[in-house]
Amino acid sequence: MAVTIAHGRHDHLALQMESLAAGSRPPDEHVVVAMDDHELTRWPAFVVSMPTAVGGLPLAGARNLGVGTALDLAADVVICLDVDCLVGNDLVRAYAEAVRTNPGVVWSGPVTYLPPPPTGGYDLPSLASLDDPHPARPAPPQGRVELDDRPDLFWSLSFACSASAWRRSGGFCEEYVGYGGEDTDFARAALGRGLRLGWVGSARAYHQWHPVSDPPVEHLDDIIRNGAIFHERWGSWPMQGWLEEFERRGLVRREAGMWTRDGMNGCRTDTADT
């Protein structure tokens, strides 16, 4: 079964659903978690609702709710997709084969960030011609899989696992609210509980374009708050490149091992971790 969490982005979700239906192996069911989005309850999918949390969207909690719902519907393979992701023709089939062959692995797939859509929108049959996976992540060729246990490379844009692997992982830590940190936390926890991480070359996905900022200044408060949670759990800070760029721009500062910004309390970290 496929699981997507959403708050808005209805056009992107609609096209994702088209891509899933057009694939060589459509999912048995598509669970959509609507985060404070009542319009989605009328959509042709298995929709469950979740209120927003104080401080931002409950991304980690929404994924847990979505996967839990899929398992309640007797899913043996769960595929989690970001609402912006379109699926390649063989994504569902390739993930299902990888999970059933190696159910103790949490599998990810290569994702291409698409340019802005042309007039008339993206043409689903032509997506493969735009294939250009993100260079910072593994991208095995079509038909190949590889194990890679680096937790910093895991991302929730597109991944799949067996029901048993999900239960063993413990799911996403719901202390994280808003943007950042929960993916690496999940991957570290999964490895610590005896699971492996891997990449499926044929599970191609295509991330629909939308405006972004680099670094993601609009998520600065989330990044500092979630980074502090990560540090408390793991003893190091994630997203250091973004924090250092924020510092260069004068948006945050480090004092005596503290990340601070105007209007926020300091988040404690050891100087060696920054």
Side-chain angles (χ1 to χ4, degrees), residues 82-102:
D82 184 271
V83 69
D84 295 320
C85 281
L86 306 174
V87 306
N89 185 63
D90 288 331
L91 180 143
V92 173
R93 178 194 57 76
Y95 268 147
E97 288 180 0
V99 168
R100 287 171 177 144
T101 301
N102 291 287

Side-chain angles (χ1 to χ4, degrees), residues 104-195:
V105 178
V106 177
W107 294 102
S108 298
V111 178
T112 293
Y113 278 78
L114 295 172
T119 301
Y122 297 113
D123 178 53
L124 294 180
S126 300
L127 286 179
S129 67
L130 301 175
D131 191 67
D132 185 20
H134 193 287
R137 298 294 196 281
Q142 296 276 354
R144 292 275 301 278
V145 300
E146 63 183 49
L147 296 176
D148 190 322
D149 288 331
R150 290 176 288 176
D152 292 352
L153 299 184
F154 172 79
W155 54 8
S156 57
L157 287 177
S158 172
F159 74 96
C161 65
S162 64
S164 60
W166 176 262
R167 294 187 178 101
R168 188 172 181 180
S169 76
F172 286 84
C173 173
E174 296 187 17
E175 293 180 49
Y176 297 94
V177 175
Y179 185 88
E182 78 278 8
D183 285 5
T184 306
D185 183 287
F186 172 82
R188 286 198 181 193
L191 290 170
R193 295 178 181 188
L195 298 169

